[in-house]
Amino acid sequence: EGMDEVNKTITISDADFYDWVCELYANVDTYEGYTVTMKGMVYHDDSTMESTEFATVRLAMVCCAADMVPCGPMCIYDNAPSLTEDAWITITGIIHACTYEGTKEPEIDVTNVETADAPKEEYLYPYGGY
């Protein structure tokens, strides 16, 4: 869902966010150079991210609310410092493979950011919904 191989674009729906993030991490080389559009929250971690980095995430609940973790790809954007933590945005950008701690991962070179409304279901439930 959401992939146009001819035009090398991926439009990720709210419902398909988790599946697409898993797919991008598992097969990042397949999507190198694709333009992706996706909605998520802004996540900054000043202890591990450069000033031009942020992640577009949804919170994933594995067991209970206490164990929620951000899930989503790293993004590179010159105006990242201007983005508000936890704000819902829709990004568009180009997927590239990068290496983080010896593992190949997707990274999105962001070309556009727009404010967005939170999805109907904000959280991800990787092991079943509630």
Side-chain angles (χ1 to χ4, degrees):
E1 292 277 332
M3 185 167 74
D4 178 345
E5 290 182 67
V6 173
N7 294 303
K8 294 184 77 171
T9 62
I10 303 169
T11 302
I12 300 175
S13 71
D14 293 338
D16 292 335
F17 184 94
Y18 182 75
D19 292 337
W20 265 112
V21 168
C22 291
E23 175 64 16
L24 293 175
Y25 273 83
N27 299 296
V28 65
D29 288 333
T30 301
Y31 305 105
E32 177 78 35
Y34 271 67
T35 298
V36 64
T37 300
M38 64 191 301
K39 181 195 301 183
M41 290 189 313
V42 175
Y43 175 78
H44 291 281
D45 182 347
D46 294 335
S47 67
T48 60
M49 294 179 178
E50 300 293 325
S51 64
T52 58
E53 296 176 330
F54 73 99
T56 300
V57 304
R58 303 266 300 270
L59 294 178
M61 183 186 308
V62 177
C63 175
C64 61
D67 75 356
M68 289 183 141
V69 293
C71 174
M74 178 70 76
C75 299
I76 305 300
Y77 183 55
D78 287 341
N79 292 324
S82 70
L83 300 174
T84 302
E85 182 77 12
D86 297 331
W88 286 95
I89 59 172
T90 299
I91 64 158
T92 300
I94 310 300
I95 300 168
H96 298 289
C98 70
T99 301
Y100 178 72
E101 294 184 356
T103 303
K104 196 177 270 193
E105 297 183 356
E107 180 177 86
I108 300 174
D109 185 7
V110 176
T111 57
N112 189 54
V113 175
E114 297 177 6
T115 59
D117 293 327
K120 183 178 179 180
E121 179 53 65
E122 295 183 25
Y123 304 114
L124 303 173
Y125 304 99
Y127 301 109
Y130 288 85

CSV table of all heavy atoms in Angstrom, one decimal, residues 2-10 34:
chain,number,residue,atom,x,y,z
A,2,GLY,N,0.5,2.2,-0.9
A,2,GLY,CA,1.2,3.5,-0.9
A,2,GLY,C,2.4,3.6,-1.7
A,2,GLY,O,3.0,4.7,-1.8
A,3,MET,N,2.9,2.5,-2.3
A,3,MET,CA,4.1,2.6,-3.1
A,3,MET,C,3.9,2.7,-4.6
A,3,MET,O,3.0,2.0,-5.1
A,3,MET,CB,5.0,1.4,-2.9
A,3,MET,CG,6.4,1.5,-3.6
A,3,MET,SD,7.6,0.3,-3.1
A,3,MET,CE,7.0,-1.2,-3.8
A,4,ASP,N,4.6,3.6,-5.2
A,4,ASP,CA,4.5,3.8,-6.7
A,4,ASP,C,5.9,3.6,-7.2
A,4,ASP,O,6.8,4.4,-7.1
A,4,ASP,CB,4.0,5.2,-7.0
A,4,ASP,CG,4.0,5.5,-8.5
A,4,ASP,OD1,4.6,4.8,-9.3
A,4,ASP,OD2,3.4,6.5,-8.8
A,5,GLU,N,6.1,2.3,-7.7
A,5,GLU,CA,7.5,2.0,-8.1
A,5,GLU,C,7.9,2.8,-9.4
A,5,GLU,O,9.1,3.1,-9.5
A,5,GLU,CB,7.6,0.5,-8.5
A,5,GLU,CG,7.5,-0.4,-7.2
A,5,GLU,CD,7.6,-1.9,-7.5
A,5,GLU,OE1,8.7,-2.3,-8.0
A,5,GLU,OE2,6.6,-2.6,-7.3
A,6,VAL,N,7.0,3.1,-10.2
A,6,VAL,CA,7.4,3.9,-11.5
A,6,VAL,C,7.9,5.2,-11.1
A,6,VAL,O,9.0,5.7,-11.6
A,6,VAL,CB,6.1,4.0,-12.4
A,6,VAL,CG1,6.4,4.9,-13.6
A,6,VAL,CG2,5.7,2.6,-12.9
A,7,ASN,N,7.3,5.9,-10.2
A,7,ASN,CA,7.7,7.3,-9.8
A,7,ASN,C,8.6,7.3,-8.6
A,7,ASN,O,9.0,8.4,-8.1
A,7,ASN,CB,6.5,8.2,-9.6
A,7,ASN,CG,5.7,8.4,-10.8
A,7,ASN,OD1,6.3,8.9,-11.8
A,7,ASN,ND2,4.4,8.0,-10.8
A,8,LYS,N,8.9,6.1,-8.0
A,8,LYS,CA,9.7,5.9,-6.8
A,8,LYS,C,9.3,6.8,-5.7
A,8,LYS,O,10.0,7.6,-5.1
A,8,LYS,CB,11.2,6.2,-7.2
A,8,LYS,CG,11.8,5.2,-8.2
A,8,LYS,CD,13.3,5.5,-8.4
A,8,LYS,CE,14.0,5.0,-7.2
A,8,LYS,NZ,15.5,5.0,-7.4
A,9,THR,N,8.0,6.6,-5.4
A,9,THR,CA,7.4,7.3,-4.2
A,9,THR,C,6.7,6.3,-3.3
A,9,THR,O,6.2,5.3,-3.7
A,9,THR,CB,6.3,8.4,-4.6
A,9,THR,OG1,5.3,7.8,-5.3
A,9,THR,CG2,7.0,9.5,-5.5
A,10,ILE,N,6.7,6.7,-2.0
A,10,ILE,CA,5.9,5.9,-1.0
A,10,ILE,C,5.2,6.9,-0.2
A,10,ILE,O,5.7,7.9,0.4
A,10,ILE,CB,6.9,5.2,-0.1
A,10,ILE,CG1,7.8,4.2,-0.9
A,10,ILE,CG2,6.1,4.4,1.0
A,10,ILE,CD1,8.9,3.6,-0.1
A,34,TYR,N,14.0,6.7,-3.1
A,34,TYR,CA,12.6,6.9,-3.1
A,34,TYR,C,12.2,8.2,-2.3
A,34,TYR,O,12.8,8.5,-1.3
A,34,TYR,CB,11.8,5.7,-2.5
A,34,TYR,CG,11.5,4.6,-3.4
A,34,TYR,CD1,12.5,3.8,-4.0
A,34,TYR,CD2,10.2,4.3,-3.8
A,34,TYR,CE1,12.2,2.8,-4.8
A,34,TYR,CE2,9.9,3.3,-4.6
A,34,TYR,CZ,10.9,2.5,-5.1
A,34,TYR,OH,10.6,1.5,-6.0
